[in-house]
Amino acid sequence: MEVFMSNPGFDVKIDTKNLELIYGENTFGPVIEKRRLDDIRESLLDYNAKGPDVLYGIAMHVGDKKDKQIIEEKNAVYAIVVYNKGQIGNEPIRSQGHIHAISKFSNKSTCEVYEILLGKAIIYMQESGSDDAGRCYAVYAEENDVVIVPPNWVHATINADINNNMAFGSWSVSDYKFEYKEVREHKGIAFYPIVKDGDIEWIKNDNYSDGSLIKVKAKEYPEFNITNKERIYTQFINNPDNFDFVANPDVADHLWREF
């Protein structure tokens, strides 16, 4: 067992060897669910690529027991995801990509607020799952960085360091569902991440007619009243109204239009 003290704002440890979470006495959370290589083959550059059987473990709706009521009142969930290290063929360990489904609370797709707890990540997002993917961003993020993915955008999470584990925490709507149909129809996201000489390069997916990739570093989000100087879990508990846009994207409609 290799244990990392993640300190996302409550008592939980990350077992990076087994891709598990160790909950403290006052922490609630489910048994972590494992995502396997065979689950994402349809979205890979090479369908037959070899790699670790388990790519990552995900636990939705975790937190401190004393905070559970306010989290549920805000129709939100905090998740922790622990990524394996290594490669899938020539690609880094990653998710297949999805869009957040329509939520019953807003009748709209919803956003996701990421925070990197361990290692280095690339949060990939594209404006559309249609043939024209629109604007595509590869957001390079390190520990403590925050990244927001807008509603309706396809997004995938990539471990940017093949030699080390990665973990992130995130806020999303409590009735979360993931839509994979458009991504799978295009055999993946619009740009495939490829490992070359220890770095990540990108290859366009020809199943899309158009799309432009922009590589950026994670930034601050003062317009959302969110900072990377404090854990997003703690920020939510201290100022839950600041995160109303997670379950109700309309409250930040003017910000999404300028995203």
Side-chain angles (χ1 to χ4, degrees), residues 126 128-134 136 182 185-186 190 204-212:
Q126 64 189 54
S128 172
S130 64
D131 288 347
D132 182 354
C136 306
E182 288 185 302
E185 286 176 346
H186 291 88
K204 187 174 184 306
N205 179 349
D206 291 334
N207 293 295
Y208 291 86
S209 62
D210 204 358
S212 57

Side-chain angles (χ1 to χ4, degrees), residues 40-247:
I40 76 162
R41 285 197 180 279
E42 293 181 54
S43 73
L44 296 175
L45 176 61
D46 177 4
Y47 180 89
N48 296 308
K50 298 184 183 302
D53 175 40
V54 178
L55 302 180
Y56 57 92
I58 179 170
M60 302 294 294
H61 199 22
V62 298
D64 194 302
K65 292 176 182 177
K66 66 178 173 54
D67 303 325
K68 192 172 185 179
Q69 181 176 346
I70 186 61
I71 293 172
E72 292 178 348
E73 287 176 357
K74 288 295 184 179
N75 300 320
V77 290
Y78 183 83
I80 295 180
V81 185
V82 187
Y83 270 59
N84 211 338
K85 54 189 172 183
Q87 294 181 220
I88 311 168
N90 291 324
E91 295 188 66
I93 303 297
R94 67 174 179 90
S95 63
Q96 62 183 305
H98 61 247
I99 301 171
H100 286 188
I102 301 299
S103 167
K104 67 181 180 183
F105 300 116
S106 64
N107 291 316
K108 292 189 175 181
S109 173
T110 55
C111 71
E112 186 164 356
V113 183
Y114 284 81
E115 176 184 55
I116 308 307
L117 300 174
L118 171 68
K120 297 179 180 180
I122 301 171
I123 311 303
Y124 171 88
M125 61 185 89
Q126 64 189 54
E127 200 167 4
S128 172
S130 64
D131 288 347
D132 182 354
R135 293 173 295 160
C136 306
Y137 290 94
V139 183
Y140 290 71
E142 300 185 359
E143 288 179 27
N144 302 317
D145 281 341
V146 174
V147 179
I148 297 178
V149 176
N152 290 306
W153 283 51
V154 173
H155 52 288
T157 311
I158 300 159
N159 184 350
D161 182 353
I162 64 172
N163 297 310
N164 292 287
N165 293 86
M166 184 271 288
F168 69 86
S170 71
W171 284 108
S172 55
V173 71
S174 59
D175 67 336
Y176 63 90
K177 289 183 180 178
F178 306 137
E179 297 286 355
Y180 299 99
K181 183 174 182 289
E182 288 185 302
V183 173
R184 289 173 177 168
E185 286 176 346
H186 291 88
K187 300 188 186 304
I189 52 181
F191 290 86
Y192 295 111
I194 300 297
V195 179
K196 186 174 182 180
D197 299 326
D199 292 325
I200 305 294
E201 298 187 355
W202 300 87
I203 295 178
K204 187 174 184 306
N205 179 349
D206 291 334
N207 293 295
Y208 291 86
S209 62
D210 204 358
S212 57
L213 181 66
I214 304 163
K215 294 182 284 186
V216 297
K217 291 184 178 181
K219 65 172 188 175
E220 292 260 15
Y221 293 93
E223 66 273 29
F224 286 92
N225 295 312
I226 293 176
T227 177
N228 61 11
K229 304 296 190 297
E230 185 177 42
R231 292 299 195 197
I232 59 172
Y233 182 91
T234 304
Q235 292 180 67
F236 181 103
I237 299 306
N238 290 341
N239 295 285
D241 290 350
N242 282 352
F243 288 78
D244 280 349
F245 67 90
V246 171

